[in-house]
């Protein structure tokens, strides 16, 4: 069977068998299928879609392309976020769930586009190592109860495919997103999986219906692979917490882990963590799980677990004092007083990238110290000329670029706005 | 403007400007646009199409990628065939039109898939050179009145793009076919262009409606570029002549140039040549043009012009005696007697390729001597066990493969069949 015929069949709306998806992906990794053919096939998938069987087959082939981890019996549970702005949920939820008795083996990515990545955030802690070997990762999970490391060895074919999708306008294709996310989670091997699927202006999915479709695809795909699974639809209209930028977000996570921090972050972290406990069999339902997580945040045990994890991975435990700081800050005032109607998460995320918190180009060095504090959020009351953002910066030129993007990112009006639900729905 | 945004716009059904098509093609030639991006863009064009302005812009960019020829005032006229089986029209029409007083600068291709190519056919004449430089080509046209050479220096970007389309299932896309054909013809510079567009089982277009759409696209594109143009829709249900294979087809063309040969070849060559004379302003209408061509075939002047062309390009004039011959022949009988209902042009073409008349893989050497004589055509009466094909072969193994494909290529029935129109329509 020739790759030409497979492209042509998909182009015509036909289905590829599991074996044929194997030929495609293995051929791509070995060079028998070239970039042109894969680009054409991915674009055909954009127009013709994939059946559930095809998505499952592609997922399996991606899993098989690299390391696969297995774990002993017992509640090993993992989470994935589709990406957001000021979204520090992993840093709070992972140790809190571990404090409640589950094991959490979490492989994470770096920042992508306007959104941050957990690996970048943790690396702002002096000494923290994310480049664990598989054995180191396994040891840390068993000893501490949780570990967060860079996902370098799992699903390498997904990595190759993603790099191609990223330059060929074929990223936003549902079955490909499902296969990509699931392949990494299945390869990591946890028995339970929870997906935090973002909707709203600052998310990749955008509309809540698209996010729901993605959530259903992920949960069904995980169940098909015999995992316990659920998804939480959470709002990304405005930044989730009050901090956007790597060290700033770690500082906010530390606050939240000690029972404080911004309301939005605490709520989403508790709900996602609660669903993880339910999936792990450590809570009867999501509400009970949420209560357990809040307890672990308030009694200090979640923070203790976080410090143990940081210490095990080589980081300094003197948190937040040890976090690096930017040279200067600059406050951005509103023009008029009233109720904050919305804070544009996409603009805030883009602005943070321009400051140096994310990468404008592949392999660019990032600056851990810079970012944006969101002082006012939707529903808050502001006076005329009151600051709404505090920008942390190192270079004047980058500050200027960041301020341009922030201009107009906050909308103020006379009436109290209706707020988007932070947690819209749990998909099981 | 980033290539990513251009792919995304086309994916969404939008239009690219002329400048943007320039960025795409120049970027592809320089390596800034990679195979993956071009493959994805071409597949998006399959689903979303192109506007007439886009097709014209792409054509221009392809023309500008290489040599462009210009000619003095006077009737310079060129032809293009979309490809067929046993289609020796060029070898007959080009010298006949030149004998009637027009100049014919003809750049040709090699065989593609199951169809033959004029360059391959002419190279079966010992000594014949198709690799003329631009200056040699120009000199031959001016001195003899016609020349046929390989299209190596015109529209190199089309060559690159075609190679990619050929492996990514993006060949059969109307606007890309139009831009590809037109770019080579416009770069060759003749003032008048006639397109022989094939329809039927042995053609690339297949259905006559698709062929008509292609004919209209070619004629309108040529007129937009200020050329006089027309197209002829001709049937490729069964092989056009009675010979399929390089030296065999040259022998048949020689017969036709001397006033004999198969009826199908003579008819289509005369009609296409007649339309060329009309486009060149040397005939009042297509019928008058056809009469002039038939006259040139019957009075020996077309053959004389052919011999002059062959001589000018280094070939031996002792035709057809000098043509190489295969080692063996094998006759294929029918199972039953009756009327021949049809002869499958595609199967005959594929069978000839397997004998060695065409390339199964890029850059494969071809065998000039092998091929198939079609002894009976649709409408002919056959007796039980009467031969319908005479296969010319050199290797027993290849003969076997060829016979397998020929099996069932002829259908015989009790009733006289309705025959497809050899010339369906002239599009102007």
């Amino acid at each position: 069977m020739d790759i030409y015929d497979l492209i042509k069949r998909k182009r015509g709306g036909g289905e590829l068998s599991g074996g044929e998806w194997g030929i495609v992906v293995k051929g791509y990794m070995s060079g028998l299928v070239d970039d042109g053919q894969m680009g054409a096939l991915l674009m055909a998938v954009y127009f013709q879609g994939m059946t559930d069987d095809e998505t499952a087959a592609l997922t399996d082939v991606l899993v098989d392309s690299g390391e696969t981890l297995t774990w002993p019996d017992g509640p090993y549970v993992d989470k994935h976020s589709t990406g957001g702005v000021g979204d520090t949920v992993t840093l709070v939820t992972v140790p809190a769930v571990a404090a409640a008795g589950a094991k959490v083996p979490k492989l994470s990515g770096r920042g992508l586009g306007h959104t941050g990545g957990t690996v970048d955030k943790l690396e702002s802690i002096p000494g923290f190592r994310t480049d664990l070997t598989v054995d180191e990762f396994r040891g840390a999970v068993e000893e501490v109860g949780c570990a967060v490391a860079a996902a370098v060895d799992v699903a390498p074919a997904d990595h190759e495919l993603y790099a191609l999708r990223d330059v060929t306008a074929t990223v936003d294709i549902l079955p490909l997103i499902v296969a990509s996310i699931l392949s990494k989670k299945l390869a990591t091997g946890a028995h339970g999986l929870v997906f935090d699927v973002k909707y709203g202006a600052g998310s990749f999915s955008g509309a809540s219906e698209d996010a729901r479709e993605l959530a259903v695809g992920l949960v069904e795909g995980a169940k098909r692979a015999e995992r316990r699974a659920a998804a939480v639809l959470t709002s990304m209209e405005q930044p989730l917490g009050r901090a956007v930028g790597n060290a700033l977000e770690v500082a906010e996570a530390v606050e939240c882990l000690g029972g404080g921090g911004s309301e939005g972050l605490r709520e989403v972290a508790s709900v996602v963590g609660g669903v993880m406990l339910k999936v792990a069999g450590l809570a009867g339902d999501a509400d009970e799980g949420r209560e357990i997580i809040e307890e672990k945040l308030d009694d200090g045990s979640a923070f203790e677990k976080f410090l143990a994890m940081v210490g095990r991975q080589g980081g300094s435990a003197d948190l937040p004092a040890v976090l690096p700081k930017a040279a200067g800050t600059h406050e951005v005032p509103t023009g008029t007083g009233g109720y904050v109607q919305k804070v544009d998460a996409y603009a805030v995320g883009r602005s943070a990238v321009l400051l140096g918190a994310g990468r404008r180009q592949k392999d660019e060095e990032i600056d851990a110290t810079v970012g944006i504090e969101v002082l006012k959020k939707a529903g808050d009351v502001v006076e005329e000329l009151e600051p709404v953002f505090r920008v942390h910066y190192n270079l004047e030129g980058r500050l200027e670029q960041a301020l341009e993007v922030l201009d107009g990112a906050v909308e103020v009006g006379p009436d109290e706005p209706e707020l988007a639900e932070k947690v819209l729905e749990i998909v099981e």
Side-chain angles (χ1 to χ4, degrees), chain A residues 116-137:
Chain A
T118 298
V119 163
D120 291 333
K121 293 173 196 174
L122 283 170
E123 286 180 352
S124 71
I125 302 172
F128 194 98
R129 278 184 57 215
T130 60
D131 60 340
L132 305 185
T133 65
V134 167
D135 283 343
E136 287 174 329
F137 180 63

Side-chain angles (χ1 to χ4, degrees), chain A residues 82-87 112-116 198-207 234-240 343-350:
Chain A
T82 60
V85 177
D87 170 17
L112 206 60
H114 66 286
T115 70
K198 309 290 185 187
Y199 71 96
S203 72
F204 288 108
S205 320
T234 64
S235 169
M236 190 40 67
E237 282 298 337
Q238 61 178 352
L240 180 59
V343 180
D344 180 345
Y346 179 77
V348 174
R350 281 296 302 157

Side-chain angles (χ1 to χ4, degrees), chain A residues 236-325:
Chain A
M236 190 40 67
E237 282 298 337
Q238 61 178 352
L240 180 59
R242 290 194 178 270
V244 179
N246 299 289
L248 293 173
E249 290 186 49
V250 172
E252 183 173 40
V254 164
E255 231 183 315
C256 187
L257 281 159
S262 84
E263 194 199 330
L265 175 58
R266 181 180 165 97
E267 180 176 341
V268 172
S270 303
V271 171
V272 170
V275 175
M276 287 172 77
L277 290 181
K278 194 207 152 195
V279 162
L282 296 174
D285 59 28
D287 287 339
E288 189 194 330
R290 177 180 176 167
E291 279 164 29
I292 298 174
I293 295 293
E294 285 175 344
E295 204 179 289
K296 301 297 171 193
L297 295 177
D298 293 336
D299 71 7
S301 58
F303 186 48
E304 205 175 304
K305 192 61 85 180
F306 181 70
L307 291 180
M309 179 182 88
V310 169
R312 184 69 166 76
Q313 295 189 231
S316 167
D318 187 12
L319 287 168
V322 78
L323 291 168
K325 285 189 178 57

Side-chain angles (χ1 to χ4, degrees), chain A residues 211-233:
Chain A
R212 184 173 295 111
E213 208 183 336
L214 174 54
V216 169
L218 288 167
V219 169
E220 288 185 352
K223 287 183 177 167
R224 209 172 167 126
E226 296 183 349
R227 312 299 165 108
R228 300 184 61 181
V232 185
L233 290 190

